Amino acid sequence: MPARVHALLVVRPDGRKAAATHLQHTLDALSAQTRPADVLTIVLCGPDRALTEAAAASGAEGVITANGSTSFADAARLASPRLTGDAIWLLAQDTAPEPHALARLLAGLERAPSVGIVAPKLVDAEDPARIVSLGVTMTPYGRTVGLADNELDQGQHDADEDVLGADVRGLLVRAELWRQLVGIDPSLGGADEGLDLGVRARLAGHRVSLVPTAHVAVNGDGTAGLPAPTSRRRRRRRAYAIRLAQLHRRMVYAPAATVPLHLLSLIPLALWRAAALLVAKQPARVLPEWGASIVVFFRWGAIARARGIIRRSRTSSWAQLAALRITRSTLRQRFDADADADAFDRPIREELRFFTGGGAWLVLAALLVAVVAFPSLLVWPVLGGGGLEPLRATLGQLWADAAYGVRSVGLDTVGPADPFAALMALIGSFWPGDPSRALVLLWIAALPLATVGGWFAATRLTPNSLLRNTAAVAWVLAPTFWTALIDGRPAAVITHLLLPWLFYAGAVAHRSWAAAGAASILLAGVVAASPSLGPALIAVWALLVMLVVIARAGRGVGHIVWIGVPSIAIFAPLVWVQVHAGTPWGLLADPGVVWAGPQAAADAAGRLALAGGFPTQDFAGWTTLLSSTTLAGLAPWVLVLVAPLGVLALLSLLTPRWMISGVLVVIALLGLGSAFVLVGVAVAASSAAAAVPIWPGGALSLAWLGVVGAAIVALDAGIPVRRRALRVVGAGVVIGTLLVVAVPSATSMLRGTALLQNGPSTTLPAYVAAQGADDLSVGTILITPQNSGAVAARVVWGGSDTLGGHSTLTATRPAPTEDDREVAALTADLVSASSEDVVRRAAALGIQFVVVAPESATESDAARALRLTAETALNERSDLDAVGPTPKGTLWRISTDVADRPGASAADDRLTLAISLIQFVVFAVALLLSVPTAASRRQARRMPRTVGPRAREEER
């Protein structure tokens, strides 16, 4: 007797006009069946006039209306009491069967009594030659694997029959089995519904069989099955449904004794998988992963119901399903085959040619120049001079200075650390036994590191090795870089080293998450070293967002947005405190030592020097070099030597690659404009209350990056004709002129004009350094007589002033705080004989030592008189033990009981933990995103290394 088929058609409007069209196609396809369904029931999920009219005109025996949020499983369960006949055909609005589909499915069902479910071949409605789904299996760990998803239909699977499960769309199920299994599990969230139904059918003693000759066309926008990944929202919903279904099935299929263990492992597993997803460059799946894990963790009732259905219907063992699962080796073979085929079909990126193109030789030459230019650094244990100071003695102290909490200067200053302190901690960590030596190594490696950075940045602009080498030389010979090296400005050196890598990663950040993750870390490093570059870099970031939105219709804009997140995370606490203190301009202050070193003035001559890329009016040492000769007035003419680079940068706007050169010129103008605005602006003051202007060198490094990049584009494109000779001549002129510019700076150490010096290993007397090397609670009040007759005093904690211990919060305060007044009062009482209890007051604050700074070469009579008075007053105090004169000043030790240093409150400790945790998570995410994987490397090889359109034959 022929089986009676009851077709169940679930429809959801979802506000799309295509829904009515797809429903009509499905209804027409049902009417055109050579073996029509005996009964049709339509479940309409949500009100829609067009769909309601189409359902009413379809001739269906019943139309059930349901809420718009009703899922396919809930709709099927809602209609189950009305389902009659011998078989149930599961359809959605976008599943249009071909005329012979039902007849062939029914034949497959009737062929063998053991078959409980038959599945058609789902094909793409717009491309019927492409298979959407034909059978589903799973790995031993429960991951769903489509057996033929997205393959071209060449009949290669037409002989397949037995499978573990199939896509729920178009399934024909025996009615008796449907009732026994209680239909589809609604807790699956719309994913793996057919697979779960197949697993439960096989456990109930039935088979699941394929009927490849029965075709059903699907559009991917119906209520059944997963949504097509055509938008970000759909991709997130798809990822959530897939993971929810996988975790739910794991809880339902697992042995009863292990279910609690699986539940307890959900959150740790979500954390691990979130990290893995970040490494796999799929951050959009992190939130769906956590959402699915949390939902499943609290779904005890749904898990118990699903397990009860299996327990009541199961007649076969789980072991019988093993043969239908896919093994890891088979899955790996399929992946490797797909990867090989994909790599064969895609273009391969050109070779880098770092060694064969001369880049490696340039790095070696730069190392030799560094040894010749800075020979003393090979034996110096600590760098000193200029804005340099030693680092902390231990890694724990280094990273403590980088965290929110009690600062190492001032009496009881609690607040966020400068992000620069984290940079110092990171650099010091490369030499854990003696962190200060890491700075010496940085100075020795600065030239080769800058060469490597410049060379790789040039790979984004040209494939030509000569021009890449030219860019590397131009970058390492930048006047602002050499000035920072010989004057001892660590923040400026770090900025110059990081900027080319920021360009290298940021130029392609829109392409991949790996580049965006690396760029976000590099941007944080650049802004930490040069906060004054923040406004210019924000403008560059906004420009990139605009270009991605316009040129790529917004694809990759999330990558660009992410670039700024780590910088926001590390600066947010400092921004909050500075803004609430009424000193927002203090955010632009240079980190590290507040040092009024040589730099260009805010006059015409100074701005002329800045326009040529020189941060000081010494013109990279030419003024000093020529000062003792008759050519002293010719030093400003050194600007002519950098003119070719600027001319080439402007000419690049006339090339076919004007778009990329335009961006580079904008970067150059932003850097130059920042330098012009910042020159002469002082937002910080030294301990002697002297205003210290912002260093414009960081902005000039950014400008130099734009100019050099634009010049390379000009030489690469050819001005005005494409001739190899022009490229060679232009490169030769640029390298030759810049080599001449760098001569005074490169010889300054040999001539004794550099500010770099050996050490000191501590800024305090050795006795104090020994006491405070491992104890940051050792307090020292340092008294420095001023030439004006006043006294400057400050409190230092630990064994020395350090680069990472300084705080712009202290340096940019416009008015004294209560702590400042307390230090001033202590100092006044210490250097005079008017107070009897001043030493006990100092001891109560945790201060153990008093130091009067040594005599300077420029000390005035007033300062000398004040020094003698202070030393006399201190020697007369019975609570002070005179240790004696030292190279760092005259030292006294407090002999009374010294209290512990006032620490942070419990609230401050909680805030420290919260801020540190947030910053750690953000940078961990950025680091995981930046880690290259095999997939990200394959993706990178499919794209050109250069950016922007190129009209060059060699690009092909």
Side-chain angles (χ1 to χ4, degrees), residues 479-481 483-484 598-601 609-610 613-618 620 679 695-697 700:
T480 184
F481 182 47
T483 302
Q599 66 181 67
L610 293 178
F614 299 95
T616 69
Q617 290 174 227
D618 191 42
V679 64
W695 168 251
L700 290 182

Side-chain angles (χ1 to χ4, degrees), residues 348-385:
I348 302 299
R349 172 182 288 188
E350 71 273 8
E351 292 294 331
L352 188 62
R353 301 191 304 277
F354 179 68
F355 290 93
T356 60
W361 292 106
L362 274 181
V363 174
L364 181 60
L367 180 59
L368 293 177
V369 171
V371 172
V372 173
F374 306 105
S376 303
L377 270 63
L378 299 176
V379 295
W380 287 353
V382 183
L383 276 183

Side-chain angles (χ1 to χ4, degrees), residues 33 72-73 109 111 329 379 465 477 553 569 591 601 700 721 767:
Q33 293 296 302
F72 183 80
L109 193 65
R111 187 179 304 121
S329 60
V379 295
S465 296
L477 294 179
L700 290 182
V721 294
Y767 185 83

Side-chain angles (χ1 to χ4, degrees), residues 554-851:
R555 296 192 307 274
V557 70
H559 302 180
I560 306 300
V561 170
W562 167 260
I563 292 177
V565 173
S567 299
I568 294 173
I570 62 171
F571 270 94
L574 191 62
V575 171
W576 177 269
V577 174
Q578 289 280 35
V579 170
H580 278 70
T583 55
W585 295 111
L587 295 168
L588 301 178
D590 293 323
V593 180
V594 183
W595 176 58
Q599 66 181 67
D603 54 17
R607 296 185 188 279
L608 182 62
L610 293 178
F614 299 95
T616 69
Q617 290 174 227
D618 191 42
F619 295 100
W622 276 100
T623 300
T624 302
L625 183 66
L626 299 177
S627 60
S628 59
T629 69
T630 58
L631 304 176
L634 298 180
W637 286 95
V638 74
L639 293 171
V640 176
L641 297 177
V642 298
L645 200 63
V647 171
L648 285 173
L650 293 176
L651 289 176
S652 67
L653 297 173
L654 305 178
T655 68
R657 300 180 66 194
W658 59 269
M659 181 177 293
I660 184 65
S661 62
V663 173
L664 290 167
V665 169
V666 168
I667 291 175
L669 292 176
L670 285 171
L672 197 59
S674 298
F676 275 33
V677 171
L678 294 173
V679 64
V681 175
V683 296
S686 65
S687 58
V692 179
I694 297 174
W695 168 251
L700 290 182
S701 289
L702 180 64
W704 196 262
L705 176 70
V707 170
V708 171
I712 294 303
V713 171
L715 292 174
D716 183 57
I719 302 292
V721 294
R722 301 170 184 174
R723 290 185 301 174
R724 187 180 301 273
L726 174 67
R727 181 184 300 164
V728 174
V729 171
V733 169
V734 169
I735 293 175
T737 54
L738 292 181
L739 282 173
V740 174
V741 171
V743 167
S745 298
T747 59
S748 62
M749 283 285 289
L750 301 176
R751 293 184 291 109
T753 59
L755 298 180
L756 284 179
Q757 62 185 32
N758 182 13
S761 59
T762 175
T763 61
L764 296 176
Y767 185 83
V768 179
Q771 295 290 322
D774 299 322
D775 187 2
L776 294 182
S777 65
V778 174
T780 303
I781 184 167
L782 180 62
I783 301 173
T784 306
Q786 304 296 299
N787 288 338
S788 62
V791 174
R794 58 195 178 92
V795 177
V796 179
W797 299 94
S800 172
D801 281 311
T802 60
L803 269 178
H806 290 277
S807 173
T808 55
L809 285 176
T810 303
T812 59
R813 287 196 296 240
T817 62
E818 289 299 324
D819 284 350
D820 295 332
R821 295 188 181 93
E822 181 68 22
V823 172
L826 283 174
T827 304
D829 291 342
L830 282 170
V831 300
S832 65
S834 60
S835 177
E836 297 294 334
D837 64 341
V838 62
V839 176
R840 289 193 296 274
R841 283 162 45 202
L845 295 172
I847 296 175
Q848 301 182 29
F849 299 98
V850 179
V851 176

